[in-house]
Amino acid sequence: MSAWETLARLGKAAAGRRILDLFQDGDRMAQFTARTGSMVLDFSKTNIDAETLAALIELATEADVAAHREAMFTGARINQTEGRAVLHTALRNLAGRVVVDGVDVMPEVRETHARASAFARDVRSGVFAGQGGRITDVVNIGIGGSDLGPAMGWLALQPYADGPRCHFVSNVDGAHIHDTLRGLNPETTLVIVASKTFTTIETMTNADTAKAWMAAKVAQPGRQFAAVSTAAERTAAYGIDPARVFGFEDWVGGRYSMWGPIGLSLMIAIGPERFDEFLAGGAAMDAHFRSEPFARNLPVLLALVGIWHNQILGHATRAVLPYDQRLSRLPAYLQQLEMESNGKRVAMDGSDLTLNSGPVVWGEPGTNGQHAFYQLIHQGTRVVPCEFLVAAKGHEPALAHQHLLLVANCLAQSEALLRGRSLDEARAMMAKKGLTGEELDRQARHRVFPGNRPSTTLIYPQLTPFVLGQIIALYEHRVFVEGVILGLNSFDQWGVELGKELALSLSPVLKGAEDGSGKDPSTRALAAYFRDHA
Ligand code: F6P
């Protein structure tokens, strides 16, 4: 029997079992928590028992996760639909040696890292200045992976942000750049155009807008532009001095790119030393992922929990709930990482995927979410596996009492999801309030929590640059392992292409230059409405 078949059987058996009962096994906490350094993943509050865990590990073994992992780390072209290696791990392993097609790629990685670090230092110290003096603001123009990583990191690492303020413009909606530039002084602003391809229409349009904004006040606006891209010819054609162009190779996927020069804005904000601590955290997770047995390997375990919830039990979504306000953009970051990587309907060999693809990922920081959507998580008819993240310590010693409340809320939520509240308990509660008879029953039923809802908790000492690096690399490898088990290519993104093409074909229709006769009636009518009202 294959591991999938065993798991299908175990999935059915789990339906009649309560997670709380699994804790009768005195060893559960030892077996269902894993750690690396001082970071702990607790997955004991899931409906996975010892037999299921063994079958899940067997699944990873059958899928040959270990061989795929080695292939990735050593530069094999595992992104087969684009013919590329997948080496974002090389960006955080600066002392390493990685050979692609007989060439050690690391000297170039190190050189770019050193140039970016020197530039970041110069911007921070004022050696590199704008027309009006020291740079006060950095505007990163990019979208998707060229935005979400540094934007998420800028918020996450605010306690370390002692350089210029950073701003992030991604949307082609003119409102975004308009509202961002309003209030900034072009004479002391640095614009970073971040685009792997340097063709993305949103980014290039916003870059043009920023250039015009700067040109109105700055004699040599190009001097206050930098670029991050794999396309050196295009950055040159755009007029950006090669001294301020930071390249990377096509073996870094957009959503995996914040470790390299795409992280330049973050590097300027927190300084290259702190940025290197972030890289070190990622490298530490790489070492853990590469060497720990599956039963103690955080990314592998997190992936297996995900497979259990989505592909075996059929829970289509996954909530990421950081009890850490500074991780407020982590859910958005993970949406791209997970959904662009594993939202595929075809396996690596082109055959139809016979399993569900990766889950819908969503979330908001706690405690805010508690006052918004947790109602559904606790009492809705669909089960939403929850992933909590929390630090033992905040960065505001004077507000330690608030941090304690934050942690109490985080732990309370996973406890409530686990335990629930029975009808008897709810009835007793209502009886205490003086209700009787049918009204007591009716009111009690509304106050029942089914419980038995799965969650994991990732707990770490404090959200430092190192820990952020660990967290991001943990999720990257989790996505990788899930992709290997599902047999798909986590590193392409063909699903974003069609909409881009159609947007191009719609521009002339919206302008009235074409009648849109090839379009469906709904699209034609919407375009006509636009023309009538714009
Ligand atoms: O459209 C999707 C995508 O290609 C993402 O994968 C990528 O992160 C984003 O667009 C931005 O691409 P670029 O960095 O080339 O501008």
Side-chain angles (χ1 to χ4, degrees):
M1 198 185 261
S2 74
W4 282 116
E5 287 163 339
T6 308
L7 285 163
R9 176 178 62 76
L10 291 170
K12 286 193 191 111
R17 182 171 71 204
R18 291 202 58 90
I19 303 171
L20 206 49
D21 294 338
L22 297 176
F23 285 91
Q24 280 162 10
D25 172 359
D27 275 351
R28 184 161 180 83
M29 289 313 296
Q31 207 186 346
F32 291 83
T33 56
R35 66 165 61 224
T36 175
S38 35
M39 171 179 279
V40 173
L41 171 70
D42 176 354
F43 62 108
S44 64
K45 292 189 182 95
T46 60
N47 207 330
I48 299 177
D49 63 2
E51 190 185 359
T52 306
L53 182 59
L56 285 166
I57 289 173
E58 179 53 27
L59 183 69
T61 309
E62 269 179 18
D64 212 354
V65 166
H68 285 85
R69 182 180 58 190
E70 263 336 89
M72 174 175 73
F73 276 101
T74 53
R77 292 185 188 274
I78 61 169
N79 175 357
Q80 293 177 15
T81 59
E82 294 180 310
R84 293 175 183 167
V86 173
L87 277 175
H88 48 279
T89 52
L91 300 175
R92 54 202 186 218
N93 180 20
L94 294 173
R97 182 169 190 275
V98 184
V99 176
V100 179
D101 294 337
V103 178
D104 181 1
V105 299
M106 292 312 295
E108 201 170 324
V109 169
R110 280 191 284 270
E111 201 246 347
T112 306
H113 175 265
R115 276 201 318 115
S117 301
F119 182 62
R121 267 188 210 103
D122 287 352
V123 172
R124 286 164 62 82
S125 67
V127 166
F128 176 90
Q131 175 176 291
R134 183 187 280 261
I135 296 293
T136 55
D137 295 88
V138 174
V139 178
N140 184 85
I141 298 181
I143 196 165
S146 300
D147 164 70
L148 287 163
M152 178 273 298
W154 156 251
L155 293 180
L157 299 179
Q158 274 303 297
Y160 305 89
D162 54 3
R165 285 179 297 270
C166 287
H167 312 265
F168 297 87
V169 175
S170 51
N171 202 327
V172 77
D173 184 344
H176 201 179
I177 192 147
H178 174 269
D179 292 357
T180 305
L181 298 182
R182 190 180 50 186
L184 297 189
N185 177 0
E187 296 185 19
T188 57
T189 296
L190 169 71
V191 174
I192 300 175
V193 185
S195 175
K196 179 173 168 176
T197 55
F198 228 70
T199 57
T200 304
I201 195 149
E202 290 93 331
T203 300
M204 299 325 295
T205 307
N206 279 321
D208 288 346
T209 303
K211 219 176 188 181
W213 169 79
M214 196 165 282
K217 285 272 167 60
V218 173
Q220 289 177 287
R223 267 207 72 254
Q224 287 173 227
F225 268 67
V228 181
S229 182
T230 56
E233 334 73 55
R234 292 201 190 105
T235 58
Y238 198 76
I240 301 184
D241 184 339
R244 287 187 305 282
V245 175
F246 303 92
F248 59 107
E249 297 298 322
D250 68 2
W251 39 253
V252 180
R255 55 196 173 273
Y256 298 87
S257 63
M258 73 175 291
W259 311 95
I262 288 290
L264 181 62
S265 50
L266 179 61
M267 193 190 243
I268 293 172
I270 65 174
E273 292 75 19
R274 294 296 194 186
F275 191 83
D276 284 354
E277 290 169 24
F278 166 69
L279 298 187
M285 187 57 75
D286 293 342
H288 168 88
F289 174 50
R290 231 171 149 179
S291 62
E292 280 301 305
F294 289 173
R296 293 201 300 272
N297 191 310
L298 267 73
V300 173
L301 290 167
L302 205 52
L304 294 176
V305 171
I307 296 275
W308 171 249
H309 286 150
N310 182 4
Q311 280 75 22
I312 306 295
L313 300 184
H315 306 320
T317 85
R318 169 192 295 162
V320 179
L321 307 166
Y323 275 66
D324 201 322
Q325 181 58 27
R326 294 196 173 106
L327 287 179
S328 59
R329 290 296 278 163
L330 182 69
Y333 178 84
L334 293 181
Q335 265 169 1
Q336 187 196 19
L337 182 64
E338 303 205 9
M339 294 166 76
E340 202 171 72
S341 296
N342 288 345
K344 314 274 163 75
R345 50 176 289 286
V346 165
M348 188 70 97
D349 64 5
S351 62
D352 286 348
L353 209 67
T354 52
L355 301 149
N356 281 326
S357 59
V360 175
V361 177
W362 60 284
E364 275 288 317
T367 59
N368 292 8
Q370 288 176 206
H371 301 273
F373 54 77
Y374 277 40
Q375 165 65 42
L376 181 146
I377 289 182
H378 285 290
Q379 289 189 317
T381 52
R382 291 191 181 89
V383 173
V384 179
C386 293
E387 297 189 350
F388 297 99
L389 293 97
V390 69
K393 203 164 124 187
H395 283 280
E396 291 71 33
L399 302 177
H401 62 291
Q402 293 199 210
H403 193 77
L404 186 137
L405 263 180
L406 178 76
V407 178
N409 271 276
C410 179
L411 271 51
Q413 289 302 324
S414 66
E415 188 186 1
L417 286 167
L418 170 73
R419 195 172 283 284
R421 182 195 284 145
S422 69
L423 183 58
D424 283 350
E425 288 167 330
R427 282 176 57 85
M429 226 173 76
M430 289 298 98
K432 256 196 200 153
K433 290 196 189 293
L435 267 64
T436 56
E438 271 182 27
E439 187 56 7
L440 182 148
D441 270 345
R442 189 166 76 92
Q443 293 292 348
R445 285 180 57 75
H446 287 276
R447 288 160 175 80
V448 168
F449 287 65
N452 204 31
R453 300 203 160 186
S455 69
T456 59
T457 301
L458 185 73
I459 190 160
Y460 40 89
Q462 193 177 34
L463 188 61
T464 59
F466 185 89
V467 166
L468 184 69
Q470 285 180 299
I471 292 174
I472 300 307
L474 166 63
Y475 278 105
E476 285 178 352
H477 294 321
R478 179 263 193 102
V479 166
F480 171 76
V481 174
E482 285 194 4
V484 168
I485 291 176
L486 296 175
L488 49 77
N489 181 3
S490 298
F491 300 102
D492 61 12
Q493 55 284 320
W494 300 111
V496 302
E497 296 301 322
L498 181 58
K500 288 184 191 174
E501 280 166 30
L502 293 179
L504 283 181
S505 74
L506 270 163
S507 289
V509 181
L510 294 179
K511 286 178 192 155
E514 283 177 17
D515 64 3
S517 50
K519 301 287 174 193
D520 61 83
S522 163
T523 306
R524 271 204 316 269
L526 291 167
Y529 181 96
F530 168 82
R531 286 194 304 269
D532 291 348
H533 293 82

